[in-house]
Amino acid sequence: MSVLKGTKVTWLGHATVLVEIADGMNLLIDPFMEHNPSYPKDFTLPARIDYVLLTHGHMDHIADAVPVAQKHGATIVGIYELTSYLTGKGAEKTIGMNLGGTVSLPGVDVTMVEAKHTSSMQEGNQIVYLGIAAGLVLTIQDGPVLYHAGDTSVFSDMKLIRELYAPEFVMLPIGGHFTMGPKEAALAAEYLAPQMILPIHWGTFPPLKGTPEQLAALLPDGNIVARVKPGQAI
Ligand code: NI
Ligand code: MN
């Protein structure tokens, strides 16, 4: 797809997305693999994973972060409290950041933006809070600007994300229940004005009822909604 300008994006079910940048750098966002019912079991990750990027500390976003980072020698990037927590869980290389900040990686700038959601893990009977939930904007050198919204409701400051970064390709949760559903995602699309939307966080579990078809039906041009199966690259 020309909108991606040579960058390859592969949805791996739920919110897990592999981003392969033309120069060879590979990024994995929110790895939820082993216990992800929609992960394509026959899919093989590239041997090279440079960075694991995390939106927030819920199990369905970080379950495989440490094992994948260890196996591939990747650096984990996330909000400070979350990367600190994962260091305690065995993560060797981390970059902690926070909202509004940008970390320049080779070939891509990663900017942490707002999301409206929580971020916590359960440890025994305790809930451990891990900072707040975030979204990620990836500004790829000579490539597209991508926005992974993480888990979030719609919020009008998505207009700021458009004004500041103008992402062409946005990954929006549409399942509902724990995040926005198609109705809210349609308004998010109006605020963000992307060229393409990859719907994420849908179809994984029964409560996540929103579908790409429902989102497409609510947009002036439903063709901007990517229809891919987990494991199929865009
Ligand atoms: Ni979540
Ligand atoms: Mn989630």
Side-chain angles (χ1 to χ4, degrees):
M1 290 278 179
S2 58
V3 58
L4 285 175
K5 301 171 194 164
T7 291
K8 191 165 137 192
V9 173
T10 309
W11 182 50
L12 297 175
H14 205 57
T16 306
V17 178
L18 173 67
V19 178
E20 295 169 89
I21 297 173
D23 83 344
M25 266 259 298
N26 296 328
L27 315 170
L28 186 62
I29 307 174
D30 283 2
F32 174 44
M33 298 149 72
E34 193 179 342
H35 299 292
N36 175 357
S38 63
Y39 188 83
K41 300 299 175 201
D42 55 348
F43 185 83
T44 309
L45 279 180
R48 179 175 173 185
I49 300 288
D50 300 272
Y51 294 93
V52 170
L53 311 181
L54 303 176
T55 61
H56 68 292
H58 280 154
M59 208 57 203
D60 58 320
H61 298 258
I62 66 166
D64 294 278
V66 172
V68 166
Q70 283 174 341
K71 183 175 172 195
H72 296 264
T75 299
I76 297 178
V77 181
I79 205 160
Y80 177 79
E81 288 79 2
L82 175 57
T83 55
S84 300
Y85 172 84
L86 292 177
T87 298
K89 301 291 177 191
E92 283 155 23
K93 296 184 284 180
T94 62
I95 298 175
M97 60 186 303
N98 218 313
L99 296 185
T102 297
V103 169
S104 289
L105 307 177
V108 55
D109 284 349
V110 177
T111 303
M112 185 164 277
V113 297
E114 232 184 327
K116 301 287 186 190
H117 191 69
T118 58
S119 179
S120 66
M121 290 288 278
Q122 188 148 1
E123 303 231 322
N125 296 326
Q126 297 292 320
I127 295 279
V128 179
Y129 278 93
L130 299 169
I132 57 173
L136 297 168
V137 173
L138 310 184
T139 303
I140 297 170
Q141 242 171 52
D142 305 318
V145 179
L146 316 180
Y147 167 48
H148 187 298
D151 283 1
T152 188
S153 63
V154 66
F155 52 96
S156 56
D157 281 352
M158 283 177 172
K159 291 175 193 167
L160 296 182
I161 294 172
R162 177 186 179 183
E163 186 176 344
L164 283 164
Y165 314 109
E168 292 110 320
F169 183 93
V170 304
M171 296 159 260
L172 301 178
I174 64 157
H177 195 101
F178 296 109
T179 69
M180 58 185 175
K183 175 180 174 166
E184 296 80 14
L187 184 61
E190 187 182 318
Y191 290 159
L192 292 161
Q195 291 175 33
M196 186 173 279
I197 301 169
L198 173 64
I200 58 174
H201 217 275
W202 65 277
T204 329
F205 306 110
L208 311 189
K209 295 189 195 316
T211 65
E213 290 69 33
Q214 289 170 338
L215 172 61
L218 294 167
L219 298 178
D221 178 9
N223 290 321
I224 70 167
V225 178
R227 319 290 175 94
V228 286
K229 290 193 176 72
Q232 193 184 340
I234 300 172

